Amino acid sequence: MKLEASAKGLFPIAPTPFSPEGAIDFNSIDKLTDFYLECGSTGMTVLGVMGEAPKLDGAEAIDVAKRFIKRAPQLPVIVGVSAPGFAAMRRLSLAAMDAGAAGVMIAPPNTLRTDDQIVTYYSQAVEAIGSDIPFCIQDFPLTFTVVMTPGVIRRIITDNPSCVMLKHEDWPGLEKISTLRKWEAEGSLRHVSILCGNGGLFLDFETERGADGAMTGYAFPDMLADLVRLTAAGERDAAHDLFDAHLPLLRYEQQPGVGLAIRKYLMARRGLIASDAQRAPAGGMSATAKSEVEYLLARLATKDKRAAVA
């Protein structure tokens, strides 16, 4: 199945599980994928920023993508293919699509500065991978230092029919969502799916502003799936109550530099992956940080039993 602009729900950003020795843990990939299916995911994204993609060589990246795709043939899988050069991007894109991926995600390199440079880059990327491959724009200025205005995003979508999704990770970014949806309502922008990242930090209002769901990797993807479902059903207070219960832990996980370590620690504690290991270079968690996470888990467990880990 190919990715379409009608995509919605939860596309969790999957971490890449490693053994303590740094080898890819394919058994944990299977276990994690099974959990994503069980908790109501409507898709999945692999080899994103939190997937430690730059730490994999080309062959490993293809192997990881293939394993996720094979384990969940009923889910549309988006593969992150961002690369310094178009040759590597094309190779991974074609390999992923041949393996059954639904589409790819492309982030802008941090060398882009002007609106025209950004728009041209995406046109060249599409030319490199092929206009028949659906793609998702990754708009994450806090990491990539590339600022995309709503006008630039509209130009990319308009110039490239294969663009079917925006991964929105700008903040403050609520007004950007509203602007894009306003243009769509007016008929000056075709519809694309908008899924939101940032660990889910603003998901409670992003969905209310017109986002179609989440594409992020908070260690409780089952909560994210519930939040998107409750919002879509018009159960606003229930959605916010659930979000508010998780917010202290979600905020703690969002710390730059250590966020992935926290996320993997939580996922290992939940039994979703065998080890919280990252590939070097990587940051770790101090004993104090782990005790703080355990405290937040215990507090969350009083409101959401899913946090009651053994």
Side-chain angles (χ1 to χ4, degrees), residues 46-198:
V46 304
L47 302 181
V49 172
M50 289 297 186
E52 298 180 74
K55 301 176 186 177
L56 302 173
D57 64 33
E60 286 179 322
I62 293 171
D63 287 344
V64 167
K66 284 182 175 179
R67 187 64 169 245
F68 277 109
I69 293 166
K70 181 179 179 181
R71 191 69 177 187
Q74 64 272 60
L75 287 184
V77 177
I78 300 172
V79 178
V81 297
S82 304
F86 289 138
M89 182 185 293
R90 174 178 171 80
R91 179 172 182 263
L92 180 54
S93 296
L94 295 180
M97 297 303 291
D98 285 346
V104 301
M105 182 166 66
I106 303 173
N110 61 12
T111 54
L112 304 180
R113 289 294 176 265
T114 70
D115 291 354
D116 286 346
Q117 286 175 342
I118 299 167
V119 173
T120 298
Y121 176 82
Y122 275 94
S123 294
Q124 292 176 341
V126 169
E127 182 179 356
I129 68 173
S131 59
D132 58 329
I133 296 180
F135 78 93
C136 170
I137 304 167
Q138 186 171 12
D139 179 20
F140 196 3
L142 275 73
T143 290
F144 301 121
T145 71
V146 177
V147 177
M148 297 191 210
T149 65
V152 165
I153 293 170
R154 177 163 62 177
R155 288 173 63 186
I156 296 170
I157 293 169
T158 301
D159 291 352
N160 303 284
S162 56
C163 178
V164 297
M165 179 180 287
L166 169 68
K167 184 183 182 187
H168 170 79
E169 297 193 86
D170 197 359
W171 55 305
L174 293 173
E175 299 303 330
K176 180 180 284 188
I177 296 173
S178 293
T179 297
L180 294 172
R181 288 309 190 213
K182 176 175 178 287
W183 287 343
E184 179 187 330
E186 294 172 348
S188 62
L189 177 66
R190 66 178 171 85
H191 176 78
V192 298
S193 174
I194 299 178
L195 300 183
C196 298
N198 281 318

Side-chain angles (χ1 to χ4, degrees), residues 235-249:
E235 299 184 44
R236 188 183 194 191
D237 288 344
H240 281 270
D241 287 344
L242 177 63
F243 180 82
D244 291 349
H246 280 259
L247 185 55
L249 184 60

